[in-house]
Amino acid sequence: MRKQIFKFLLLNLFFFLFINTVLKSSDILQVYDLNKKNLKENSILETEQYLYTVSVSKKNKILDVSIKKNQLKAEVKLLDRIKNKIDWPSDFPSYLKEAIWNYYKSNKKFNIEGIKLIDKGEIGDKYFVVVGIKKTNIDKFIINYNVIKKVLK
């Protein structure tokens, strides 16, 4: 009898965790469906809880290559949000910010968790991929200009 109760409780726990995970992942999809008309290729779509980016390229003969290539490009765009939050000196020209940022990010590994493939498809001879992530997973990366300056030395 105890084994049956234990199995029942274990099964209920598994079912609860599974349903909870499915509902949370469907939330990011619902928000995307409501806002996808505002998605632009060269910017990050920001909602109350999520960030979305898109990448578009010509179709490859191998579909998986198009998906992975565009997914990687879309994920890299999320780094722009981190770059835009840096407290750069006000007199820095944009080309210098870009050069310093590119050097910094090439020497640093960002472990961004929770990126989800939201949408993918074809439009004419182009292929697109949309990725999404919770804002908190990106906004936890706070980089100060003084930290970058130390890396440069």
Side-chain angles (χ1 to χ4, degrees):
M1 183 70 170
R2 286 184 180 177
K3 284 185 180 182
Q4 289 176 336
I5 292 172
F6 179 73
K7 285 181 183 179
F8 178 74
L9 290 175
L10 190 60
L11 185 61
N12 279 340
L13 178 64
F14 174 75
F15 181 72
F16 173 76
L17 292 174
F18 177 75
I19 294 297
N20 194 25
T21 303
V22 168
L23 289 176
K24 283 186 178 181
S25 68
S26 69
D27 187 36
I28 193 170
L29 295 173
Q30 288 174 347
V31 173
Y32 168 72
D33 284 336
L34 293 172
N35 293 284
K36 66 181 173 184
K37 63 185 174 293
N38 300 323
L39 190 62
K40 294 182 175 54
E41 186 177 352
N42 296 322
S43 64
I44 298 172
L45 173 62
E46 183 175 346
T47 65
E48 194 173 309
Q49 293 181 340
Y50 302 104
L51 301 170
Y52 302 94
T53 61
V54 63
S55 178
V56 180
S57 68
K58 286 196 176 250
K59 281 191 251 181
N60 284 331
K61 291 180 181 177
I62 304 171
L63 186 62
D64 288 346
V65 171
S66 292
I67 293 170
K68 288 295 181 189
K69 178 179 157 185
N70 281 319
Q71 186 173 356
L72 185 60
K73 283 182 176 180
E75 290 173 3
V76 167
K77 289 180 184 180
L78 292 171
L79 291 176
D80 286 342
R81 181 165 175 95
I82 298 170
K83 177 185 79 175
N84 293 337
K85 297 222 177 229
I86 298 172
D87 60 339
W88 297 103
S90 59
D91 58 343
F92 258 40
S94 60
Y95 71 88
L96 188 56
K97 289 178 190 176
E98 195 67 35
I100 291 172
W101 172 248
N102 286 336
Y103 176 79
Y104 178 77
K105 74 178 180 182
S106 70
N107 291 314
K108 174 130 175 76
K109 183 177 179 181
F110 293 93
N111 189 13
I112 301 173
E113 296 176 354
I115 298 175
K116 291 184 171 65
L117 180 63
I118 302 297
D119 198 2
K120 60 185 177 183
E122 299 176 22
I123 300 174
D125 66 338
K126 306 273 185 184
Y127 199 83
F128 75 92
V129 170
V130 178
V131 296
I133 189 170
K134 277 190 166 187
K135 259 194 220 182
T136 54
N137 290 359
I138 290 290
D139 290 345
K140 69 181 180 183
F141 293 98
I142 299 171
I143 300 172
N144 189 314
Y145 173 68
N146 291 327
V147 172
I148 295 175
K149 208 162 56 170
K150 286 179 186 174
V151 171
L152 293 174
K153 291 182 179 181

